[in-house]
Amino acid sequence: MQAIEDPAVRAQALADVVARWKEKGRWEQTTGGAAKKAKAIYEQLISQGPTAYRHPSD
């Protein structure tokens, strides 16, 4: 996510990932180590709101 420079594109990408995970039932049932780590990152970005999607140079 951090490599995406456009904040709007970043926000859309995060929303898309979360929607796909939820659609497949993976959001609530993350069992693998990598999935748990990724979900934790996504949840942190969500909790920080739109400012979390800003690129450090913005």
Side-chain angles (χ1 to χ4, degrees):
M1 292 290 166
Q2 305 241 343
I4 302 171
E5 293 186 21
D6 185 309
V9 174
R10 236 180 281 142
Q12 182 59 43
L14 177 60
D16 187 51
V17 168
V18 172
R20 289 172 189 257
W21 278 35
K22 286 182 177 182
E23 179 181 301
K24 295 181 179 189
R26 295 181 182 162
W27 189 255
E28 297 301 327
Q29 298 178 0
T30 52
T31 57
K36 284 183 180 181
K37 287 179 183 179
K39 183 180 176 188
I41 291 168
Y42 299 147
E43 287 178 324
Q44 181 181 17
L45 289 171
I46 291 167
S47 71
Q48 292 175 359
T51 58
Y53 310 126
R54 297 191 67 180
H55 190 272
S57 65
D58 291 345

